Amino acid sequence: MSGSNRSDIKIGLEVDIVLKQDQRSGKLTQGIVKDILTKSPTHPHGIKVRLESGDVGRVKGIH
């Protein structure tokens, strides 16, 4: 599953996100979803979430 459909992402899921500062390198950060920040049902670059660690980024993969 990619992270571009809001319906695929639930609070408490373990996901890989790309942080704003890591978009060029593509470095992924792993964590648990705390909040879903994107309101639209889909987003071409991934749904924006906040992890329990406080990191904010777009979902690139779901575990």
Side-chain angles (χ1 to χ4, degrees), residues 6-41:
R6 193 175 192 274
S7 59
D8 294 340
I9 299 166
K10 305 280 185 263
I11 292 171
L13 269 184
E14 189 173 348
V15 296
D16 291 325
I17 67 168
V18 64
L19 302 174
K20 183 77 171 171
Q21 66 267 26
D22 294 335
Q23 283 177 345
R24 284 181 179 271
S25 67
K27 178 178 172 279
L28 296 176
T29 303
Q30 195 171 356
I32 306 294
V33 176
K34 180 180 177 188
D35 299 306
I36 302 171
L37 304 176
T38 300
K39 298 293 183 222
S40 64

